[in-house]
Amino acid sequence: MKVHVYADEMATAALAKLLKRPVKFVADRLESFVTDIHARDHRVHAKIGVKRDGTITAFAIDDLTGIGPYSVYPRTSGIEANQVVNLVGGSYTCPNYRARARVVFQNKNVMCQYRAVGHPIATAVTEGLVELAAAKIGMDVAEMRRRNLFADDKYPATSASGLKFERLSHHAALDKILRMMDYTGLRAEQARLRAQDIHRGIGLASFIEVTNPSAAFYGVGGARISSQDGATVRLDATGAVFCHSGVTEQGQGAESVLAQCVATSFGVPIERVRVVTGDTDNTPYGGGTWASRAAGIGGEAAWQAGKALRANVLAAAASILQADPQALDIRGGIVVDADTGRERMPLEEVARVVYFRPDTLPPGFQAEFMVTRHYVPRAWPFAFTNGVQASYLEVDIKTGQVSLLKHWCVEDCGTVINPQLVDEQIRGGIVQGIGGALFEHCLYDEAGQLLNANMMDYLVPMAAEMPDIEVGHVVTPTADSELGAKGAGEAGTAGAPACVMNAINDALRPLGAAPIVQMPITPERVLAALRGLSHVDD
């Protein structure tokens, strides 16, 4: 699974060497449950300081995190706790901040990083505190956020925990989601339905997301995890374009994004670009896929390689046509006059001359139809993104059942390269976050034996449980790259648990229920809260 190196993988490789023959390891469902990493085992005690006018004055957090029996190479299993204490309160201006993280070894499965490392915990803690404080002082939760979120025109900025923000868009995102969901109308509907003994809740959650990590993340700690990435782009003899990238495709659409970057910067239709990834024998060395970096880092490398190849091809075409390279352009796979768009020659003809009749080119001219470019973020340790999510749901107070009605997300990942891929990444992340909020939970006995290592007892969200998910965007490009792209793969997961939790508490608060702060929020925990209990034992 991505960057982690597992003991069974090492054993498989060792056996293959000892036996001098191929060895294949296949894990069944139970073996995967008890050997693949688990994550998010936290007990968090947190406080917020708030003035009566809603001004946030302080955050305090104490995070006790389980990390399993040992750390997983090459990343330490303590990173999730580090992320939690750094990210709490990250969306808000706040003068005082105190945090402590402690990690404990356990007789459970190995623990390490999983999509949106630490973000769902930090966001749930932060946004849960904000809504509890708003309820305490009698302030609307949207207004509470509006008074405390970092102002969109006050960047660069630094969070209370020391995170450096280039430029974010909290207020623009909040305003947009309130319009999308018709916040005022939903509040009126909620009040009307309460009079009919129908209990619906509205939950909001602002979030920040770490993307495009630089060497300031793993590099300074000595972990051999690359923060840079490279792309090699070439024009072959038929006029086709090949892009070899260090980024890996894992179903997230990286190949499509890379093809778009090359096609646009070079000047050909996307169907003429073939992307090759995955095999480090054939691709430039890079960091691969983790931490929402494929588009922002790998895409930038592909963009720059496509631009460089375009310049080389135009130089060759100019030599053939006896023209000024600056007067030519590549559009739709054809060399044209830059000012009029008049077609001069197709790329395949340029390639034919360069590959098969280089003797006709001017003496001393050497065409280079393969270029490699690398990119690494330098100006900022991370390209932080931001956004806000909202959940509208109904709670059956007799059974404790939660029914999700609608979910919204407004996200700012900088330049949106492929809108459909970005929106589906966000939707997928939201579903994953809802899984953590309502369903997913690894149960152990006292001896450390996993009790629900099967898909009958380990619950995950299915299509029938999911609401419609509406996605919107604010665009704030990073100036650290020409594309301006940030990551988008973890935003949905980061904010979904918090806004679902807040919506449930919003539905139950008028009934005098104890706040629910333990996930997953099962029907048993809902009923316990209605009885005035703050938690329920498993």
Side-chain angles (χ1 to χ4, degrees):
M1 295 170 72
K2 302 208 319 189
V3 182
H4 308 111
V5 178
Y6 286 96
D8 41 30
E9 294 171 337
M10 300 303 293
T12 303
L15 285 170
K17 293 178 73 70
L18 288 170
L19 297 174
K20 295 183 173 59
R21 61 179 296 173
V23 174
K24 183 177 182 179
F25 172 74
V26 180
D28 62 24
R29 179 72 68 186
L30 173 62
E31 289 169 329
S32 289
F33 260 104
V34 297
T35 61
D36 292 343
I37 63 152
H38 294 185
R40 299 179 184 156
D41 196 1
H42 296 257
R43 293 183 181 178
V44 182
H45 294 272
K47 297 179 182 180
I48 187 172
V50 179
K51 293 182 178 179
R52 293 193 179 276
D53 65 358
T55 302
I56 296 174
T57 60
F59 283 100
I61 177 173
D62 190 340
D63 179 18
L64 182 67
T65 304
I67 60 171
Y70 53 84
S71 272
V72 182
Y73 181 85
R75 304 155 106 181
T76 169
S77 295
I79 285 179
E80 189 167 75
N82 179 70
Q83 290 276 75
V84 170
V85 296
N86 276 315
L87 293 169
V88 164
S91 300
Y92 299 97
T93 58
C94 175
N96 303 294
Y97 181 77
R98 181 178 66 209
R100 176 173 70 165
R102 293 172 292 162
V103 300
V104 294
F105 290 111
Q106 305 159 296
N107 61 339
K108 296 181 180 179
N109 189 35
V110 291
M111 311 283 288
C112 211
Q113 282 79 61
Y114 166 67
R115 191 179 196 176
V117 182
H119 292 62
I121 298 98
T123 306
V125 168
T126 302
E127 297 302 299
L129 287 172
V130 167
E131 296 221 348
L132 287 172
K136 186 75 172 179
I137 63 174
M139 181 175 288
D140 178 76
V141 293
E143 179 60 26
M144 179 80 170
R145 290 176 171 87
R146 189 175 283 112
R147 295 190 182 195
N148 291 281
L149 290 166
F150 277 100
D152 293 354
D153 59 353
K154 299 296 184 182
Y155 289 96
T158 303
S159 76
S161 67
L163 299 175
K164 306 293 184 182
F165 302 136
E166 177 189 8
R167 189 178 166 210
L168 300 175
S169 56
H170 288 296
H171 287 269
L174 179 63
D175 291 342
K176 184 165 187 174
I177 203 168
L178 294 178
R179 291 194 302 270
M180 285 170 56
M181 65 190 293
D182 184 15
Y183 181 73
T184 302
L186 277 187
R187 285 296 184 195
E189 178 180 271
Q190 179 189 42
R192 185 171 63 253
L193 291 173
R194 276 179 180 163
Q196 303 171 27
D197 204 27
I198 297 173
H199 302 277
R200 292 187 175 181
I202 301 168
L204 296 174
S206 296
F207 63 89
I208 55 175
E209 179 196 354
V210 175
T211 79
N212 294 4
S214 71
F217 196 48
Y218 284 118
V220 296
R224 297 177 70 84
I225 300 173
S226 179
S227 58
Q228 62 88 50
D229 234 292
T232 297
V233 180
R234 64 181 172 89
L235 179 69
D236 78 354
T238 69
V241 180
F242 289 78
C243 174
H244 294 247
S245 174
V247 170
T248 47
E249 174 64 68
Q250 293 185 320
Q252 79 277 40
E255 291 184 2
S256 296
V257 169
L258 293 171
Q260 281 183 261
C261 292
V262 172
T264 304
S265 63
F266 182 66
V268 296
I270 191 171
E271 58 266 20
R272 290 181 63 169
V273 180
R274 179 184 172 189
V275 177
V276 180
T277 68
D279 190 340
T280 51
D281 283 342
N282 300 312
T283 64
Y285 191 85
T289 294
W290 55 276
S292 298
R293 63 183 302 279
I297 297 179
E300 179 70 18
W303 174 269
Q304 296 297 340
K307 282 182 57 181
L309 180 63
R310 176 181 173 278
N312 289 357
V313 171
L314 287 177
S319 296
I320 297 169
L321 297 169
Q322 298 183 359
D324 181 358
Q326 301 299 320
L328 301 176
D329 196 5
I330 301 174
R331 300 173 190 169
I334 299 172
V335 177
V336 302
D337 286 333
D339 54 352
T340 67
R342 180 170 67 96
E343 296 183 1
R344 301 298 300 273
M345 63 190 309
L347 284 177
E348 48 265 38
E349 179 62 14
V350 181
R352 183 192 68 80
V353 173
V354 167
Y355 281 108
F356 305 121
R357 289 302 310 276
D359 57 303
T360 63
L361 297 174
F365 179 83
Q366 177 61 53
E368 293 290 348
F369 279 10
M370 177 183 285
V371 300
T372 299
R373 291 293 183 271
H374 289 82
Y375 170 72
V376 60
R378 295 185 182 277
W380 298 88
F382 309 98
F384 274 97
T385 72
N386 71 276
V388 59
Q389 292 188 36
S391 178
Y392 187 47
L393 53 78
E394 185 174 315
V395 180
D396 187 328
I397 62 172
K398 294 180 180 179
T399 66
Q401 187 69 36
V402 175
S403 299
L404 302 169
L405 303 176
K406 189 70 181 283
H407 199 103
W408 298 265
C409 178
V410 171
E411 189 259 4
D412 186 346
C413 63
T415 301
V416 179
I417 299 172
N418 188 310
Q420 185 175 5
L421 282 176
V422 169
D423 286 1
E424 296 313 313
Q425 280 273 347
I426 291 171
R427 287 190 177 95
I430 288 170
V431 172
Q432 208 162 21
I434 289 172
L438 298 178
F439 301 104
E440 300 187 50
H441 193 192
C442 292
L443 301 173
Y444 292 86
D445 64 17
E446 293 183 355
Q449 293 295 313
L450 187 57
L451 300 176
N452 60 334
N454 61 77
M455 299 308 291
M456 289 292 290
D457 299 320
Y458 183 90
L459 302 181
V460 296
M462 307 292 282
E465 287 80 44
M466 288 302 99
D468 287 337
I469 300 171
E470 188 175 344
V471 179
H473 296 280
V474 176
V475 177
T476 309
T478 174
D480 205 6
S481 68
E482 193 169 317
L483 274 176
K486 306 175 186 179
E490 299 168 284
T493 315
C499 67
V500 170
M501 176 185 71
N502 285 339
I504 293 171
N505 283 325
D506 181 62
L508 300 181
R509 190 171 292 115
L511 301 172
I516 301 176
V517 295
Q518 189 174 358
M519 296 184 191
I521 303 173
T522 61
E524 292 84 359
R525 286 174 176 159
V526 171
L527 294 175
L530 287 168
R531 294 195 301 269
L533 303 176
S534 60
H535 66 86
V536 59
D537 293 333
D538 296 317

